[in-house]
Amino acid sequence: MQFTTLALSALSAATGVFGAPTSQEAGTPNPDSVIFGVMSIRSASPVLQTAWGAMNKGIFINLSNQDAQCYNGPAQNSATFVLNKANGTLSLYTDGKPWQQLFVDRSGMGQGIMQYTTGAEPAPRNAERGDWAIDEASQHLTFAGSDAFLACPSDADSYRILPYVGIENPAGYTGCLSIAARVVVAENPVKCLYSQN
């Protein structure tokens, strides 16, 4: 599944709003899970309608190459996610061997840093795995009941994505932009293993 700014703009214009991601639409056999991509929403900004990608344990936008190993389709430059509605966990869409699951550290040390672990790799002490959801009205991804995220300038033209935890420029980043995260149904999801360095 590939998300480009042009394709997402065309999809948005054609449909007006994105449909609610249901397990049947996403081709998910488990009714407790939803498979989807995410794009950033912030008007008149360089991050508007940019797809989220995953690389080196972090979530980014505007990646030149996320260097994922994909199994059932061509290489992707955006990430596909799986929300487990039963326990509120968010993972990357892999073949499950190994799995890759997101966590957020809202402590004073983590300041909202969002990363993923692979397989049996433990999460840091203050990591939170659950509390992810999709707001049915807005179709925004939420963490801990909030749809507020930050896009912080990183390497080259990429931006690091973090949930907003009350710090405007967290974890040493500066120039962060507030964004929302729009869920986009994955109709033909591709399973990938994302880089771990």
Side-chain angles (χ1 to χ4, degrees), residues 74-100:
Q76 305 292 297
N77 209 34
S78 59
T80 305
F81 299 87
V82 182
L83 172 67
N84 184 318
K85 295 188 290 185
N87 61 20
T89 57
L90 185 65
S91 301
L92 293 164
Y93 186 56
T94 70
D95 70 350
K97 302 172 187 175
W99 65 91
Q100 296 183 301

Side-chain angles (χ1 to χ4, degrees), residues 168-189:
E168 301 299 325
N169 291 295
Y173 290 100
T174 59
C176 298
L177 302 173
S178 59
I179 63 168
R182 177 69 60 85
V183 168
V184 182
V185 174
E187 295 183 0
N188 297 296

Side-chain angles (χ1 to χ4, degrees), residues 1-2 70-77 190-192:
M1 179 185 66
Q2 186 172 8
C70 299
Y71 305 108
N72 63 326
Q76 305 292 297
N77 209 34
V190 176
K191 296 178 180 178
C192 300

Side-chain angles (χ1 to χ4, degrees), residues 32-34 36 81-92 101-102 128-133 141:
D32 288 333
S33 64
V34 183
F36 58 93
F81 299 87
V82 182
L83 172 67
N84 184 318
K85 295 188 290 185
N87 61 20
T89 57
L90 185 65
S91 301
L92 293 164
Q101 191 174 64
L102 276 71
E128 299 174 66
R129 297 264 195 205
D131 224 1
W132 292 96
L141 181 66

Side-chain angles (χ1 to χ4, degrees), residues 25-183:
E25 286 175 322
T28 310
N30 183 348
D32 288 333
S33 64
V34 183
I35 301 172
F36 58 93
V38 179
M39 69 174 181
S40 299
I41 302 296
R42 181 186 169 103
S43 298
S45 79
V47 301
L48 176 64
Q49 294 185 336
T50 50
W52 287 19
M55 185 177 75
N56 297 339
K57 297 188 177 185
I59 304 301
F60 298 86
I61 56 176
N62 285 348
L63 287 172
S64 59
N65 180 7
Q66 70 177 358
D67 195 30
Q69 296 177 325
C70 299
Y71 305 108
N72 63 326
Q76 305 292 297
N77 209 34
S78 59
T80 305
F81 299 87
V82 182
L83 172 67
N84 184 318
K85 295 188 290 185
N87 61 20
T89 57
L90 185 65
S91 301
L92 293 164
Y93 186 56
T94 70
D95 70 350
K97 302 172 187 175
W99 65 91
Q100 296 183 301
Q101 191 174 64
L102 276 71
F103 70 84
V104 176
D105 183 348
R106 291 190 285 177
S107 71
M109 291 291 290
Q111 297 188 353
I113 199 76
M114 176 170 63
Q115 294 184 308
Y116 55 88
T117 56
T118 300
E121 177 187 357
R125 180 182 60 179
N126 296 313
E128 299 174 66
R129 297 264 195 205
D131 224 1
W132 292 96
I134 297 171
D135 181 81
E136 293 297 326
S138 66
Q139 291 304 298
H140 288 179
L141 181 66
T142 66
F143 174 73
S146 171
D147 70 348
F149 290 84
L150 294 173
C152 300
S154 185
D155 296 332
D157 294 326
S158 67
Y159 290 75
R160 181 82 182 249
I161 303 297
L162 303 91
Y164 178 67
V165 296
I167 303 172
E168 301 299 325
N169 291 295
Y173 290 100
T174 59
C176 298
L177 302 173
S178 59
I179 63 168
R182 177 69 60 85
V183 168

